[in-house]
Amino acid sequence: GDSVTQMEGPVTLSEEAFLTINCTYTATGYPSLFWYVQYPGEGLQLLLKATKADDKGSNKGFEATYRKETTSFHLEKGSVQVSDSAVYFCALSLRSQGNLIFGKGTKLSVKP
Amino acid sequence: NAGVTQTPKFQVLKTGQSMTLQCAQDMNHNSMYWYRQDPGMGLRLIYYSASEGTTDKGEVPNGYNVSRLNKREFSLRLESAAPSQTSVYFCASSVPGLAQPPRTQYFGPGTRLTVL
């Protein structure tokens, strides 16, 4: 079935370090891809999205490119801040359905 | 514009008790969803409602019922709570995307439920 696999955490980085969180997917259709972020004690917020191959989503310095050939949507940021500490979820959604299929989440901690 | 609101924020139940989690959205979205979040499991879909008057099961519907009261409100009911239902519950809403690329879902702040 359809699924999302993302790297397990936790990931601990120093401030200004480069971040990559890997995400790959399996889907029978042609999905849209999302990254959501969950700050401590809060609900999920959309970070970025891409709806077709080679699209690049970006927001707040984060980027991810929809790679159909490798079925991937890796999240990157060039210089993380302490305020980026959160749990990051990769997700997909298919045209035939409305719901999101989530990865298990990756907890990021950024130290000063 | 409050977005998606959920009540209560916290709840403790004893095994066998019942309760209803409330969700409302003011964005005029047609589709609404209930997810549960468990450690190491990500979010899993319990039920969803593609439009007012319709509801469908998701990945983990057992032990739950839902009601789409009107376009704004979508409630989740636990008839006889079990410890396995201890979780954080999130409601979400979106514009439907059946004919177009799926749209962003907007999430509420969650309800943390403990069943003893």
Side-chain angles (χ1 to χ4, degrees):
Chain A
D2 305 318
S3 65
V4 174
T5 302
Q6 60 182 105
M7 64 186 287
E8 294 186 15
V11 174
T12 302
L13 296 174
S14 297
E15 205 165 23
E16 299 184 1
F18 184 85
L19 169 70
T20 301
I21 301 178
N22 291 335
C23 171
T24 57
Y25 68 90
T26 301
T28 53
Y30 192 17
S32 291
L33 301 173
F34 303 82
W35 277 102
Y36 278 82
V37 58
Q38 184 180 31
Y39 298 103
E42 298 184 10
L44 279 72
Q45 303 173 25
L46 177 69
L47 182 59
L48 53 84
K49 67 179 181 181
T51 59
K52 60 183 186 295
D54 300 325
D55 267 2
K56 177 185 283 188
S58 61
N59 186 24
K60 299 181 181 180
F62 291 89
E63 294 182 339
T65 301
Y66 190 143
R67 301 290 189 196
K68 188 178 180 184
E69 63 276 13
T70 55
T71 62
S72 64
F73 192 54
H74 304 321
L75 182 68
E76 297 182 337
K77 186 175 186 182
S79 177
V80 294
Q81 305 300 311
V82 172
S83 58
D84 294 327
S85 298
V87 180
Y88 292 82
F89 292 93
C90 185
L92 68 82
S93 185
L94 295 166
R95 286 176 189 263
S96 59
Q97 308 166 19
N99 59 292
L100 289 165
I101 297 171
F102 286 91
K104 294 183 177 181
T106 302
K107 183 176 182 180
L108 170 66
S109 296
V110 180
K111 306 298 183 185
Chain B
N1 189 339
V4 179
T5 57
Q6 294 182 234
T7 56
K9 290 187 177 180
F10 302 94
Q11 184 70 49
V12 178
L13 293 178
K14 295 181 179 179
T15 297
Q17 288 185 317
S18 62
M19 78 161 295
T20 300
L21 281 64
Q22 307 287 350
C23 174
Q25 52 89 11
D26 61 2
M27 296 175 283
N28 202 36
H29 287 167
N30 286 330
S31 298
M32 298 185 73
Y33 312 85
W34 276 105
Y35 294 90
R36 61 177 287 173
Q37 182 181 28
D38 301 295
M41 297 293 291
L43 278 78
R44 294 179 291 171
L45 183 67
I46 304 171
Y47 271 93
Y48 67 100
S49 172
S51 61
E52 186 178 356
T54 68
T55 60
D56 286 286
K57 296 178 180 180
E59 180 184 355
V60 288
N62 291 344
Y64 304 96
N65 285 300
V66 291
S67 296
R68 185 72 183 269
L69 304 171
N70 48 54
K71 190 171 185 178
R72 291 187 62 248
E73 299 173 288
F74 187 40
S75 62
L76 178 71
R77 184 161 177 83
L78 286 71
E79 292 291 352
S80 179
S84 61
Q85 294 178 305
T86 294
S87 188
V88 182
Y89 292 85
F90 289 101
C91 178
S93 71
S94 73
V95 175
L98 294 181
Q100 302 173 38
R103 304 292 181 89
T104 301
Q105 289 188 20
Y106 296 85
F107 285 78
T111 295
R112 186 174 296 273
L113 175 67
T114 301
V115 183
L116 302 176

